Amino acid sequence: DAKTTQPTSMDCAEGRAANLPCNHSTISGNEYVYWYRQIHSQGPQYIIHGLKNNETNEMASLIITEDRKSSTLILPHATLRDTAVYYCIVLSGNNRKLIWGLGTSLAVNP
Amino acid sequence: DTAVSQTPKYLVTQMGNDKSIKCEQNLGHDTMYWYKQDSKKFLKIMFSYNNKELIINETVPNRFSPKSPDKAHLNLHINSLELGDSAVYFCASSQGGAGGPRTQYFGPGTRLTVL
C-alpha cells in the first residue's frame, strides 16, 4: 500500500478552518484515502474517506487532487475539541491492514 | 449505545501473570482487529478475524492468543506478561464488500501496565 507524508504538527485558531495536507504520491488506482483522528487517550475515530471525488460529511471535507497524489482534510470551523492527532492512510478495499504513521498533531488555540 | 466496547479499561498486573482483554461490537461487522499502541504512540495491528477466522497475524509473540467465539467478540489473552507488554490495546471492527471501502471503528482502549 502507498505511504503517506504529513506535517508533524499544525496550529489553528478556534473558529477558523483547519486544512491538513497529506501527500500520497504512490497511490494506486484502487486505493482509498482515509482520515482518522485520535483525541488524547481515546480510540482512533474515523472521519472521512474518498477515492477520486471530493467528499463532505458532518465532520469534515476531503479534497483529493485530480492526480490523486495528495489530499487535504478540511475542518471548516475548528473547535478546541478538534485538538487531536490526525492520520491520513491509503488502503485498497481488499486490504484490511491499516498502516499508521505518526500523523499530524493539530492544536486548536482559543 | 456503545458500538465497540472493551473491558477492562485499565489493567495493572505483575510480570509473569496471565490476563485477558475482552472486546465486543454491536455493529454487525464481519471483521475485528486488535491493535497495540506503545509509548511512542505508534499504532500497530496485531491480529484480525473475519467471521471467526484469523486473517491477519502480525509478528506477535505467541504469548498473545486471540480468540473469537463469534463474530461479535474478539478477546485477547496474554500469557506470562512482560514489562514490554505495557501499552494501550485497541479493538476495532469493520464491514465491507469485496474491493469496497472498509472503515474501521475503534473501541476506547485498554491501558495495560505490567509491573
Side-chain angles (χ1 to χ4, degrees):
Chain A
D1 292 294
K3 293 186 178 175
T4 62
T5 305
Q6 299 177 252
T8 304
S9 63
M10 293 183 66
D11 285 289
C12 177
E14 189 178 18
R16 304 298 292 267
N19 297 287
L20 291 90
C22 179
N23 286 323
H24 31 79
S25 58
T26 60
I27 192 170
S28 301
N30 64 345
E31 288 182 319
Y32 292 82
V33 179
Y34 290 85
W35 283 84
Y36 287 79
R37 73 180 181 184
Q38 187 173 24
I39 296 170
H40 180 63
S41 298
Q42 297 182 19
Q45 178 187 25
Y46 164 77
I47 302 173
I48 199 166
H49 74 274
L51 185 62
K52 295 179 184 177
N53 300 322
N54 299 336
E55 302 287 345
T56 295
N57 64 19
E58 64 279 4
M59 288 182 70
S61 294
L62 174 60
I63 308 298
I64 302 174
T65 57
E66 195 167 336
D67 64 7
R68 302 186 71 236
K69 293 186 177 182
S70 66
S71 60
T72 301
L73 178 75
I74 301 172
L75 306 178
H77 304 287
T79 71
L80 299 179
R81 287 177 293 180
D82 292 321
T83 292
V85 179
Y86 288 77
Y87 298 93
C88 168
I89 301 167
V90 294
L91 194 70
S92 64
N94 289 327
N95 190 340
R96 294 168 171 81
K97 196 159 66 174
L98 291 175
I99 306 297
W100 301 74
L102 286 175
T104 296
S105 180
L106 175 68
V108 180
N109 304 309
Chain B
D1 287 343
T2 303
V4 182
S5 59
Q6 297 178 226
T7 53
K9 188 167 175 63
Y10 300 95
L11 186 51
V12 180
T13 188
Q14 299 286 334
M15 268 193 339
N17 284 350
D18 303 338
K19 290 294 178 185
S20 292
I21 307 172
K22 295 186 177 182
C23 178
E24 176 181 2
Q25 54 96 2
N26 63 6
L27 298 166
H29 289 170
D30 62 2
T31 304
M32 296 184 71
Y33 312 77
W34 276 111
Y35 286 85
K36 178 181 180 180
Q37 188 168 41
D38 59 24
S39 57
K40 294 181 180 177
K41 301 300 184 183
F42 275 112
L43 198 61
K44 296 180 75 172
I45 190 165
M46 301 171 69
F47 303 103
S48 178
Y49 271 74
N50 177 257
N51 288 322
K52 297 171 41 179
E53 180 184 346
L54 183 64
I55 57 170
I56 295 175
N57 187 351
E58 291 297 284
T59 309
V60 177
N62 58 15
R63 298 182 294 103
F64 290 78
S65 53
K67 284 189 172 51
S68 182
D70 56 61
K71 72 174 191 178
H73 296 84
L74 180 62
N75 303 323
L76 184 65
H77 188 77
I78 315 170
N79 288 326
S80 303
L81 278 155
E82 299 178 357
L83 293 176
D85 298 332
S86 295
V88 182
Y89 293 84
F90 290 102
C91 176
S93 71
S94 72
Q95 175 78 32
R102 186 172 275 273
T103 301
Q104 294 187 18
Y105 294 88
F106 286 77
T110 295
R111 182 173 294 275
L112 171 64
T113 303
V114 182
L115 303 174

